[in-house]
Amino acid sequence: MRRSRALIPTALLALALGTTPAGAAPAPGAGSPSPTGQSSRTQPVSPAFRSQQLAWQPCFPGPGEGLPPGGERLECASMKAPLDWNDQGRGSIDLAVSRLRPVDGEPKNLLLTNPGGPGEPGVVVPLLFLDPAHRAVADSSEIVGMDVRGTGASTSISCGGRTIGRDRDVRDRSRANVAAMLDSAQAMARACRRASAPLGDHVNTAQTVRDFDLLRALLGYERTNWFGFSAGTWLGAHYATAFPARTGRFVLDSSVPFTRTWQYHYALQPMGFERRFRQDFLPWVARYEQAYGLGGSAASVRAGYERVRAFLAQQPLTLEDGTVLTATTFDSLIAGSLYSKGLFPRGAELLAGLNAAIGGPSPEAAAKGLSAEASALRSAARMPGAPAGAPDAVDATFYTVGCNDTPWYGNRQTLAATSAAQGRLFPLIGWRTIAEPCVFWDRPAVNLPKPTGRGVPPVLMVQSEHDPATPMEGAKLAASEFANARLLRVTDEGDHMLYGNGNACVDEAVDAYLADGVLPRRGATCAGGPLPTPEAPAAAPAERHSTERLAAFADRLSP
């Protein structure tokens, strides 16, 4: 697989990566630290929270179809935490938590987990470790999940059901459409702040790491290990920064650049998705010209995508499940197919089906059979502006954490200019970066210290070369700026979230560190897995109850 040297020009970096260009106004509220964030001196835990007893009960009262063997052992409870850790008398919130303990004997370690998002519910993540391949970890650890504050079964927030102009074509750069999209992003910011009060000001990483540390204390451990996917790497790095003496073996899978800002991270995504699209997906579809009929070259497949997109910009289609396929929604669905090579057949079927449909006399009727592909890809895409596919609380927490944690710079003019520059370079999702509410966010002054890794044990980072959602460039930067980080690069691979998805080399490295403290040597690599065929899309990971299936279990949790 050809290596990419795609770079963002310096002028674009100045706008997109969080440096303040001349004449740009900082985001509202980006002021000095206040009690909404983490104080320089951690407040002691109030006895009201420190003395609580967790009432554990089975999450799944009986075995069910699809539940992995041993899934009935997952226990759930509700934990009280302060609304505001720096003013613990202001009230409390409820946090849904889970644990998986060894079948025999007492656990030697605590393993906290987080699936990322930020805002994805996490109580089902311990099920991932029931795979027999991870027995060494499951036999030695008490594995814990949490629906973080704001989402899932925990005390939740909302944006009032509002979305950001998804019915508009983000490539339409007429003055009226640009103004409408910016107005929509600004209205989204206001709606989230209004609907989420008063909890919204306290949905941030500085508060959430205190929630995790309270759970650690209630479970009786002096220190904890950590496993986090995607935005869970940000949370893990910040936990280690807040509590270095309580930090054990941390594994960060598919890392955001946690030593920088959320604005820096999201500015890298258009490049990451475009690279995955051009260098992995399009050539793969072209290889199976007989199956998909989109031509035998990446250029011809790309032309098919542009043909469908142009049609949808003029005439959106409604699928059987109610999905309205606009041009912007179509971008999101194709981007969703890039998270995992196992989704490539879904994306290709959608693209091929729509190409066939728009050439017929009744495009809407011809597109009816594509709902399964659209549904699968909609649930895979967890990016700003993507179709929700989840409760409003998940999206609200996603935006609120990203907008609250670190400052955002820019204004209407720079947002329009930056998104246009990203769109010209990386058209798959670059244009839609205009749909950014954080520039308009009335940000509480959260003080989130920069992770440096000083005083922290070694951290294992696992990263694929063509990860679209958390590009390698950001992970390498974080590894270089975080002391004792050990980066395990997965070559010829582009999947986002690697552990538990069929790569034995990755699984063995992560298990060895979590169970026994054994790190891979510096500079070690793992080879990526083979791309699927149209006839056999990713059967192995599904059989192993991979991360792609965990969401299905969450719907079956007992109240």
Side-chain angles (χ1 to χ4, degrees):
M1 187 177 298
R2 188 164 58 89
R3 297 286 299 276
S4 169
R5 294 187 66 253
L7 298 175
I8 301 177
T10 303
L12 179 58
L13 279 169
L15 292 171
L17 301 188
T19 56
T20 309
S32 58
S34 81
T36 58
Q38 183 164 322
S39 62
S40 58
R41 186 176 176 214
T42 301
Q43 302 294 319
V45 181
S46 163
F49 300 106
R50 188 176 62 240
S51 62
Q52 66 182 300
Q53 300 292 317
L54 301 183
W56 296 100
Q57 61 180 0
C59 300
F60 304 96
E65 184 181 354
L67 193 66
E72 69 281 355
R73 293 178 14 234
L74 187 70
E75 296 179 301
C76 286
S78 181
M79 182 182 84
K80 295 286 186 184
L83 169 69
D84 179 2
W85 271 103
N86 294 297
D87 188 359
Q88 296 175 38
R90 290 188 59 192
S92 66
I93 60 172
D94 294 316
L95 297 172
V97 297
S98 66
R99 70 176 185 182
L100 185 69
R101 290 170 60 85
V103 174
D104 299 312
E106 291 298 309
K108 300 175 183 177
N109 309 302
L110 175 65
L111 176 61
L112 299 177
T113 65
N114 182 262
E120 292 294 335
V123 294
V124 298
V125 174
L127 294 176
L128 180 66
F129 294 87
L130 286 172
D131 187 319
H134 313 314
R135 182 171 179 177
V137 179
D139 285 351
S140 62
S141 306
E142 183 164 356
I143 305 170
V144 172
M146 177 190 292
D147 290 356
V148 297
R149 56 174 59 212
T151 196
S154 296
T155 302
S156 295
I157 59 173
S158 172
C159 289
R162 192 174 186 94
T163 60
I164 304 178
R166 291 174 184 161
D167 57 333
R168 294 187 174 273
D169 183 0
V170 293
R171 290 194 190 181
D172 177 357
R173 291 293 153 147
S174 65
R175 180 176 298 181
N177 198 55
V178 167
M181 288 188 289
L182 292 169
D183 288 346
S184 180
Q186 188 167 15
M188 177 76 166
R190 291 171 178 167
C192 292
R193 297 279 293 146
R194 182 172 57 251
S196 295
L199 177 56
D201 277 356
H202 309 290
V203 173
N204 59 62
T205 296
Q207 298 278 342
T208 299
V209 296
R210 294 294 307 271
D211 297 338
F212 273 104
D213 198 58
L214 173 62
L215 182 54
R216 173 204 58 79
L218 293 178
L219 293 171
Y221 293 87
E222 291 297 320
R223 61 172 51 202
T224 183
N225 297 340
W226 181 274
F227 179 83
F229 286 120
S230 195
T233 65
W234 175 281
L235 196 56
H238 282 281
Y239 180 96
T241 301
F243 305 107
R246 298 169 191 169
T247 297
R249 303 163 189 160
F250 275 38
V251 174
L252 309 180
D253 184 327
S254 305
S255 291
V256 299
F258 49 76
T259 58
R260 299 302 177 97
T261 65
W262 284 117
Q263 187 173 23
Y264 189 101
H265 165 59
Y266 291 125
L268 291 176
Q269 281 195 329
M271 177 186 65
F273 276 92
E274 192 71 27
R275 176 170 56 204
R276 177 73 154 156
F277 188 49
R278 291 181 190 177
Q279 298 189 18
D280 296 349
F281 179 78
L282 295 177
W284 180 85
V285 177
R287 189 180 312 153
Y288 295 102
E289 179 183 7
Q290 289 189 329
Y292 300 117
L294 292 168
S297 69
S300 63
V301 179
R302 181 86 189 227
Y305 157 76
E306 293 291 347
R307 183 166 54 252
V308 170
R309 196 191 188 287
F311 178 92
L312 294 173
Q314 299 298 319
Q315 183 181 329
L317 300 177
T318 301
L319 303 185
E320 287 171 313
D321 64 355
T323 300
V324 178
L325 271 181
T326 65
T328 300
T329 302
F330 177 59
D331 294 339
S332 296
L333 294 178
I334 294 300
S337 72
L338 307 180
Y339 278 80
S340 165
K341 56 183 168 294
L343 293 170
F344 279 16
R346 293 282 196 183
E349 288 287 352
L350 179 68
L351 180 55
L354 289 170
N355 258 282
I358 65 175
S362 180
E364 189 134 350
K368 291 292 186 183
L370 298 173
S371 291
E373 283 72 25
S375 178
L377 301 178
R378 185 170 60 249
S379 65
R382 300 299 313 156
M383 299 174 295
D392 180 47
V394 177
D395 291 330
T397 305
F398 174 90
Y399 286 117
T400 300
V401 171
C403 298
N404 279 350
D405 269 3
T406 53
W408 285 72
Y409 299 100
N411 52 37
R412 292 173 71 93
Q413 291 72 34
T414 60
L415 189 56
T418 301
S419 62
Q422 290 269 38
R424 287 189 291 269
L425 287 168
F426 315 119
L428 181 62
I429 69 165
W431 294 103
R432 79 174 187 197
T433 56
I434 196 171
E436 182 48 74
C438 292
V439 168
F440 305 104
W441 203 265
D442 184 15
R443 178 177 177 258
V446 176
N447 177 23
L448 196 60
K450 178 179 178 177
T452 64
R454 289 194 291 269
V456 173
V459 167
L460 175 59
M461 298 172 63
V462 183
Q463 193 75 24
S464 70
E465 290 184 324
H466 282 190
D467 188 323
T470 56
M472 173 63 85
E473 289 82 354
K476 287 176 67 176
L477 179 67
S480 71
E481 295 181 340
F482 197 81
N484 290 324
R486 186 72 57 88
L487 181 62
L488 178 64
R489 192 174 81 255
V490 184
T491 62
D492 291 334
E493 182 62 84
D495 282 4
H496 177 64
M497 302 193 304
L498 295 159
Y499 180 73
N501 278 305
N503 189 309
C505 176
V506 169
D507 289 354
E508 289 168 7
V510 171
D511 290 337
Y513 189 48
L514 290 177
D516 302 313
V518 178
L519 281 166
R521 61 174 176 78
R522 290 194 179 276
T525 62
C526 286
L531 293 174
T533 64
E535 297 78 20
E543 291 169 359
R544 299 182 60 201
H545 305 287
S546 73
T547 53
E548 294 176 20
R549 300 195 64 197
L550 291 180
F553 302 133
D555 294 334
R556 295 171 35 211
L557 290 171
S558 60

PDB file of all heavy atoms in Angstrom, residues 91-105:
ATOM      1  N   GLY A  91     -25.098  19.622  44.476  1.00  0.00           N
ATOM      2  CA  GLY A  91     -25.999  18.578  44.009  1.00  0.00           C
ATOM      3  C   GLY A  91     -25.225  17.422  43.409  1.00  0.00           C
ATOM      4  O   GLY A  91     -23.991  17.428  43.359  1.00  0.00           O
ATOM      5  N   SER A  92     -25.967  16.428  42.952  1.00  0.00           N
ATOM      6  CA  SER A  92     -25.324  15.214  42.463  1.00  0.00           C
ATOM      7  C   SER A  92     -25.925  14.789  41.138  1.00  0.00           C
ATOM      8  O   SER A  92     -26.997  15.246  40.728  1.00  0.00           O
ATOM      9  CB  SER A  92     -25.470  14.081  43.479  1.00  0.00           C
ATOM     10  OG  SER A  92     -26.840  13.702  43.614  1.00  0.00           O
ATOM     11  N   ILE A  93     -25.213  13.900  40.455  1.00  0.00           N
ATOM     12  CA  ILE A  93     -25.685  13.251  39.240  1.00  0.00           C
ATOM     13  C   ILE A  93     -25.557  11.747  39.421  1.00  0.00           C
ATOM     14  O   ILE A  93     -24.855  11.268  40.328  1.00  0.00           O
ATOM     15  CB  ILE A  93     -24.885  13.697  37.998  1.00  0.00           C
ATOM     16  CG1 ILE A  93     -23.398  13.341  38.158  1.00  0.00           C
ATOM     17  CG2 ILE A  93     -25.078  15.184  37.745  1.00  0.00           C
ATOM     18  CD1 ILE A  93     -22.565  13.580  36.905  1.00  0.00           C
ATOM     19  N   ASP A  94     -26.236  10.993  38.575  1.00  0.00           N
ATOM     20  CA  ASP A  94     -26.159   9.534  38.595  1.00  0.00           C
ATOM     21  C   ASP A  94     -25.320   9.062  37.414  1.00  0.00           C
ATOM     22  O   ASP A  94     -25.474   9.552  36.290  1.00  0.00           O
ATOM     23  CB  ASP A  94     -27.549   8.909  38.506  1.00  0.00           C
ATOM     24  CG  ASP A  94     -28.400   9.211  39.724  1.00  0.00           C
ATOM     25  OD1 ASP A  94     -27.879   9.107  40.849  1.00  0.00           O
ATOM     26  OD2 ASP A  94     -29.587   9.565  39.551  1.00  0.00           O
ATOM     27  N   LEU A  95     -24.443   8.108  37.672  1.00  0.00           N
ATOM     28  CA  LEU A  95     -23.587   7.542  36.636  1.00  0.00           C
ATOM     29  C   LEU A  95     -23.820   6.039  36.548  1.00  0.00           C
ATOM     30  O   LEU A  95     -23.723   5.332  37.563  1.00  0.00           O
ATOM     31  CB  LEU A  95     -22.116   7.817  36.935  1.00  0.00           C
ATOM     32  CG  LEU A  95     -21.700   9.288  36.958  1.00  0.00           C
ATOM     33  CD1 LEU A  95     -20.267   9.424  37.446  1.00  0.00           C
ATOM     34  CD2 LEU A  95     -21.855   9.926  35.586  1.00  0.00           C
ATOM     35  N   ALA A  96     -24.139   5.549  35.352  1.00  0.00           N
ATOM     36  CA  ALA A  96     -24.290   4.115  35.133  1.00  0.00           C
ATOM     37  C   ALA A  96     -22.911   3.492  34.977  1.00  0.00           C
ATOM     38  O   ALA A  96     -22.106   3.948  34.162  1.00  0.00           O
ATOM     39  CB  ALA A  96     -25.126   3.860  33.886  1.00  0.00           C
ATOM     40  N   VAL A  97     -22.632   2.464  35.774  1.00  0.00           N
ATOM     41  CA  VAL A  97     -21.327   1.807  35.745  1.00  0.00           C
ATOM     42  C   VAL A  97     -21.521   0.299  35.641  1.00  0.00           C
ATOM     43  O   VAL A  97     -22.594  -0.233  35.932  1.00  0.00           O
ATOM     44  CB  VAL A  97     -20.486   2.158  36.994  1.00  0.00           C
ATOM     45  CG1 VAL A  97     -20.190   3.644  37.034  1.00  0.00           C
ATOM     46  CG2 VAL A  97     -21.193   1.732  38.277  1.00  0.00           C
ATOM     47  N   SER A  98     -20.481  -0.393  35.209  1.00  0.00           N
ATOM     48  CA  SER A  98     -20.539  -1.846  35.075  1.00  0.00           C
ATOM     49  C   SER A  98     -19.207  -2.442  35.479  1.00  0.00           C
ATOM     50  O   SER A  98     -18.183  -1.751  35.523  1.00  0.00           O
ATOM     51  CB  SER A  98     -20.876  -2.241  33.628  1.00  0.00           C
ATOM     52  OG  SER A  98     -19.827  -1.861  32.751  1.00  0.00           O
ATOM     53  N   ARG A  99     -19.228  -3.736  35.741  1.00  0.00           N
ATOM     54  CA  ARG A  99     -17.968  -4.427  36.042  1.00  0.00           C
ATOM     55  C   ARG A  99     -18.064  -5.883  35.621  1.00  0.00           C
ATOM     56  O   ARG A  99     -19.132  -6.503  35.624  1.00  0.00           O
ATOM     57  CB  ARG A  99     -17.622  -4.333  37.522  1.00  0.00           C
ATOM     58  CG  ARG A  99     -18.539  -5.139  38.439  1.00  0.00           C
ATOM     59  CD  ARG A  99     -18.068  -5.079  39.891  1.00  0.00           C
ATOM     60  NE  ARG A  99     -18.867  -5.925  40.759  1.00  0.00           N
ATOM     61  CZ  ARG A  99     -18.689  -6.036  42.079  1.00  0.00           C
ATOM     62  NH1 ARG A  99     -17.739  -5.312  42.675  1.00  0.00           N
ATOM     63  NH2 ARG A  99     -19.448  -6.843  42.795  1.00  0.00           N
ATOM     64  N   LEU A 100     -16.913  -6.429  35.247  1.00  0.00           N
ATOM     65  CA  LEU A 100     -16.765  -7.839  34.909  1.00  0.00           C
ATOM     66  C   LEU A 100     -15.606  -8.369  35.730  1.00  0.00           C
ATOM     67  O   LEU A 100     -14.463  -7.927  35.575  1.00  0.00           O
ATOM     68  CB  LEU A 100     -16.481  -7.996  33.418  1.00  0.00           C
ATOM     69  CG  LEU A 100     -16.409  -9.420  32.869  1.00  0.00           C
ATOM     70  CD1 LEU A 100     -17.789 -10.073  32.896  1.00  0.00           C
ATOM     71  CD2 LEU A 100     -15.858  -9.421  31.447  1.00  0.00           C
ATOM     72  N   ARG A 101     -15.884  -9.308  36.609  1.00  0.00           N
ATOM     73  CA  ARG A 101     -14.857  -9.857  37.493  1.00  0.00           C
ATOM     74  C   ARG A 101     -14.454 -11.256  37.023  1.00  0.00           C
ATOM     75  O   ARG A 101     -15.200 -11.923  36.297  1.00  0.00           O
ATOM     76  CB  ARG A 101     -15.377  -9.907  38.934  1.00  0.00           C
ATOM     77  CG  ARG A 101     -15.537  -8.527  39.558  1.00  0.00           C
ATOM     78  CD  ARG A 101     -16.272  -8.568  40.886  1.00  0.00           C
ATOM     79  NE  ARG A 101     -15.591  -9.386  41.870  1.00  0.00           N
ATOM     80  CZ  ARG A 101     -14.606  -8.970  42.663  1.00  0.00           C
ATOM     81  NH1 ARG A 101     -14.172  -7.714  42.567  1.00  0.00           N
ATOM     82  NH2 ARG A 101     -14.062  -9.771  43.549  1.00  0.00           N
ATOM     83  N   PRO A 102     -13.272 -11.721  37.430  1.00  0.00           N
ATOM     84  CA  PRO A 102     -12.840 -13.060  37.018  1.00  0.00           C
ATOM     85  C   PRO A 102     -13.797 -14.143  37.493  1.00  0.00           C
ATOM     86  O   PRO A 102     -14.492 -13.980  38.514  1.00  0.00           O
ATOM     87  CB  PRO A 102     -11.471 -13.205  37.692  1.00  0.00           C
ATOM     88  CG  PRO A 102     -11.019 -11.808  37.949  1.00  0.00           C
ATOM     89  CD  PRO A 102     -12.252 -11.016  38.223  1.00  0.00           C
ATOM     90  N   VAL A 103     -13.848 -15.239  36.760  1.00  0.00           N
ATOM     91  CA  VAL A 103     -14.695 -16.366  37.155  1.00  0.00           C
ATOM     92  C   VAL A 103     -14.213 -16.951  38.478  1.00  0.00           C
ATOM     93  O   VAL A 103     -15.012 -17.266  39.368  1.00  0.00           O
ATOM     94  CB  VAL A 103     -14.683 -17.451  36.060  1.00  0.00           C
ATOM     95  CG1 VAL A 103     -15.451 -18.690  36.518  1.00  0.00           C
ATOM     96  CG2 VAL A 103     -15.274 -16.915  34.770  1.00  0.00           C
ATOM     97  N   ASP A 104     -12.906 -17.079  38.634  1.00  0.00           N
ATOM     98  CA  ASP A 104     -12.324 -17.682  39.834  1.00  0.00           C
ATOM     99  C   ASP A 104     -11.344 -16.720  40.477  1.00  0.00           C
ATOM    100  O   ASP A 104     -10.513 -16.098  39.789  1.00  0.00           O
ATOM    101  CB  ASP A 104     -11.598 -18.986  39.490  1.00  0.00           C
ATOM    102  CG  ASP A 104     -12.528 -20.030  38.889  1.00  0.00           C
ATOM    103  OD1 ASP A 104     -13.610 -20.240  39.459  1.00  0.00           O
ATOM    104  OD2 ASP A 104     -12.169 -20.613  37.850  1.00  0.00           O
ATOM    105  N   GLY A 105     -11.412 -16.614  41.781  1.00  0.00           N
ATOM    106  CA  GLY A 105     -10.427 -15.841  42.521  1.00  0.00           C
ATOM    107  C   GLY A 105     -10.690 -14.347  42.465  1.00  0.00           C
ATOM    108  O   GLY A 105     -11.592 -13.860  41.780  1.00  0.00           O
TER     109      GLY A 105
END
